[in-house]
Amino acid sequence: MKFWKPFLLVLWIAGIIVLLIFYIIPHEEALNNDTIQKLEEENELLSIENVTLDEEIKRLKKQTDSLTGKIVSSHKTIENLQNALDEKINTIDRMSALDLYEYFSGFTADSTRYKE
């Protein structure tokens, strides 16, 4: 009986080692390989999405530059119109009553026949 206890202990240890070598370790490696493969596929998808987003960023930057140019142009046009309006207001402000009448009515007080 003394001989069987160490033999059974060695047999149990050998069985556990065989179980680990042939079943548990390969199974875990397969799970790790599957996980790595899934992560690589996801990485490829994210790379493609990243390229798409980079192109979208470039397009939006071009659009922003174009709109900025239009805004600057619009501000210059507004300033020019404001200056022209101010000049007209100043011109009208300096006119006499007779000049105002001529300006707004289109009539002149001078006789062109008389000047000939």
Side-chain angles (χ1 to χ4, degrees):
M1 196 67 145
K2 291 181 181 180
F3 178 71
W4 288 102
K5 285 184 182 178
F7 180 72
L8 286 177
L9 181 64
V10 170
L11 188 63
W12 274 100
I13 293 174
I16 291 174
I17 291 174
V18 168
L19 182 68
L20 284 173
I21 290 174
F22 290 108
Y23 181 73
I24 294 176
I25 293 175
H27 186 67
E28 287 180 5
E29 287 179 2
L31 288 176
N32 288 338
N33 290 339
D34 289 342
T35 304
I36 290 172
Q37 185 178 6
K38 288 178 185 177
L39 290 175
E40 286 175 352
E41 290 173 0
E42 187 175 344
N43 190 21
E44 288 177 19
L45 291 174
L46 290 175
S47 295
I48 293 170
E49 187 175 342
N50 192 21
V51 169
T52 305
L53 290 174
D54 286 342
E55 291 173 0
E56 182 73 14
I57 287 170
K58 287 178 185 177
R59 186 187 65 78
L60 289 174
K61 282 184 180 180
K62 286 180 183 178
Q63 186 177 7
T64 301
D65 292 342
S66 173
L67 291 175
T68 302
K70 288 181 181 179
I71 288 171
V72 169
S73 175
S74 296
H75 280 297
K76 287 181 182 178
T77 303
I78 289 170
E79 287 177 11
N80 291 338
L81 290 172
Q82 186 66 39
N83 290 338
L85 180 65
D86 290 342
E87 288 175 9
K88 288 182 181 180
I89 289 173
N90 288 336
T91 303
I92 291 172
D93 203 25
R94 284 183 261 139
M95 290 183 174
S96 66
L98 183 60
D99 291 334
L100 287 172
Y101 177 75
E102 290 175 3
Y103 181 78
F104 286 108
S105 67
F107 297 123
T108 59
D110 294 336
S111 174
T112 54
R113 291 187 187 167
Y114 179 73
K115 290 183 180 179
E116 293 177 359

